[in-house]
Amino acid sequence: MQFGIFTVGDRTTDPTNGSTPGEHRRIKAMVELAVKAEEVGFDVFATGEHHNPPFVPSSPTTLLGHIAARTERLILSTSTTLITTNDPVKIAEDYAFLQHLADGRVDLMMGRGNTGPVYPWFGQDIRQGIPLAVENYALLHRLWREDVVDWEGRFRTPLQGFTSTPRPLDGVPPFVWHGSIRSPEIAEQAAYYGDGFFANHIFWPKQHTARMVDLYRRRYAHYGHGTPEQAIVGLGGHVFVRRNSQDAVREFRPYFDHAPVYGGGPSLEEYMRETPMTVGSPQQIIDRTLSFREYVGDYQRQLFLVDSGGLPQKTVLEQLDLLGEEVLPVLRKEFAALRPAGVPDGPTHAARVARKASATD
């Protein structure tokens, strides 16, 4: 089981003091978050991709390349790579290059994003979101696996005798997750290729997540990649932790109430009851996270959102200390004890290289 942190890189005003971090400070804070994540024992750091205010991570490969030089074992991922508005040729080149820089500690999460205006900014039509995601990934998949590609599709110019450089490290492309909150077509796409499926697990009740993961698992088996239990599943989740639950709720409430994605809707208590958001003590985080396997089965990666909504960096880093000291060790032990034989581990470059070598022996 892999545990990690993901960030959306928002610059939200702190409702308790009215301060808004500048772009420079927010970018540096994300680097500090990643370095701290490795220090306290997390396995993964993932960044979103956005091209509009109030977000800053418009260049994930630049950010992750810098973090690669500051860390030694952390898997560096995206929590969204915009497969719809990025050119798949550029994705193939950029992330293979990053894979070499990071000695294989790289994977990607493909997604359509949640910002409609980004489509025309990059010359695309939001009404073609799903077809773009399907066609662009079909090309990316080939670019990483075929040395010379001839290709023609609907959304970009044809390729003739094209070779993407550099080639993937050790001949093994970065592992790909297909991330979605609501689209069954994306679960189907992940299953078709035998890739991972990442359910964002924020905003929606557990019944919705269970249906999406179940669809992916069934279709994964249908396409002959293994049993449903062997499908590679990841979950997101939003947490805020203090040593006792009363302090956690009291401190987090103003950030929830004024957050652009939460404020004005259900109360914090209603949201915690109806979605996977967990605000409370370390034991409450542990209990809630362990409960996820009851409706999605055994899974491979759990990412936590801890730094959005204007939280001060000091508070964010305190979250990581508590999670690293009191939550992660228990979760690792409990998930390992509950895991049936035959359920695969989280994907790593080394394991995938070994698997490729054994398949060709």
Side-chain angles (χ1 to χ4, degrees):
M1 183 74 165
Q2 296 169 343
F3 295 95
I5 297 297
F6 76 99
T7 181
V8 296
D10 60 308
R11 294 174 54 240
T12 302
T13 299
D14 185 332
T16 67
N17 60 24
S19 66
T20 305
E23 292 175 330
H24 179 77
R25 193 171 112 203
R26 189 66 177 97
I27 291 168
K28 291 290 190 176
M30 288 191 292
V31 174
E32 186 180 25
L33 178 66
V35 173
K36 180 74 169 182
E38 178 171 271
E39 176 189 316
V40 302
F42 281 97
D43 307 300
V44 184
F45 173 82
T47 176
E49 177 186 348
H50 290 277
H51 299 275
N52 57 293
F55 304 96
V56 296
S58 58
S59 182
T61 51
T62 304
L63 174 64
L64 295 177
H66 180 67
I67 293 170
R70 298 279 306 275
T71 57
E72 295 182 356
R73 60 168 190 82
L74 202 63
I75 297 172
L76 307 172
S77 182
T78 55
S79 52
T80 304
T81 294
L82 298 177
I83 189 62
T84 47
T85 51
N86 282 307
D87 182 355
V89 172
K90 196 68 170 73
I91 294 176
E93 294 179 339
D94 284 353
Y95 285 93
F97 198 103
L98 176 61
Q99 188 191 33
H100 282 269
L101 285 177
D103 296 322
R105 295 184 289 127
V106 173
D107 56 30
L108 291 82
M109 189 188 303
M110 300 298 175
R112 290 181 294 144
N114 60 4
T115 308
V118 74
Y119 284 81
W121 296 342
F122 290 88
Q124 301 295 352
D125 183 346
I126 193 172
R127 293 170 296 183
Q128 300 298 321
I130 293 292
L132 275 164
V134 171
E135 180 177 297
N136 283 353
Y137 185 64
L139 174 55
L140 175 62
H141 192 267
R142 288 185 59 191
L143 289 169
W144 274 338
R145 290 163 175 81
E146 300 175 26
D147 289 339
V148 180
V149 173
D150 295 314
W151 182 88
E152 185 171 351
R154 291 174 55 194
F155 298 111
R156 74 172 318 280
T157 53
L159 298 173
Q160 295 181 345
F162 180 77
T163 299
S164 175
T165 58
R167 304 305 298 148
L169 179 65
D170 302 316
V172 175
F175 185 80
V176 169
W177 304 82
H178 298 259
S180 181
I181 296 176
R182 62 187 178 275
S183 303
E185 296 92 340
I186 302 304
E188 177 76 16
Q189 185 182 38
Y192 176 80
Y193 288 101
D195 295 335
F197 178 64
F198 190 91
N200 199 359
H201 213 210
I202 293 177
F203 308 132
W204 290 73
K206 65 182 182 181
Q207 294 86 350
H208 171 78
T209 299
R211 287 193 296 269
M212 292 284 283
V213 172
D214 179 66
L215 170 64
Y216 161 67
R217 289 188 184 279
R218 287 188 288 107
R219 299 300 288 172
Y220 180 95
H222 168 81
Y223 288 115
H225 301 299
T227 67
E229 295 75 22
Q230 292 172 324
I232 307 298
V233 173
L235 296 182
H238 197 159
V239 298
F240 186 87
V241 60
R242 285 303 191 203
R243 293 199 180 277
N244 67 72
S245 59
Q246 294 88 347
D247 288 343
V249 170
R250 175 186 51 78
E251 187 174 348
F252 186 69
R253 188 181 300 280
Y255 296 97
F256 176 89
D257 289 345
H258 293 87
V261 296
Y262 299 131
S267 69
L268 175 58
E269 286 75 13
E270 291 172 311
Y271 212 87
M272 287 193 291
R273 184 172 62 250
E274 298 297 331
T275 79
M277 176 183 278
T278 312
V279 179
S281 67
Q283 189 60 52
Q284 287 173 307
I285 305 295
I286 291 166
D287 292 342
R288 191 71 179 278
T289 304
L290 287 172
S291 75
F292 297 162
R293 67 181 295 279
E294 296 173 4
Y295 54 91
V296 302
D298 289 276
Y299 60 109
Q300 283 69 32
R301 180 173 291 183
Q302 174 68 56
L303 300 184
F304 296 114
L305 177 64
V306 298
D307 73 330
S308 68
L311 285 169
Q313 184 73 350
K314 177 177 179 293
T315 301
V316 171
L317 298 180
E318 289 168 353
Q319 303 298 298
L320 292 194
D321 279 329
L322 275 171
L323 291 169
E325 291 169 10
E326 300 193 24
V327 175
L328 289 189
V330 179
L331 287 179
R332 289 190 194 282
K333 179 180 177 181
E334 293 297 326
F335 272 109
L338 294 166
R339 193 179 203 83
V343 172
D345 294 330
T348 66
H349 182 74
R352 296 175 69 229
V353 169
R355 190 178 307 118
K356 179 184 177 183
S358 65
T360 57
D361 285 346

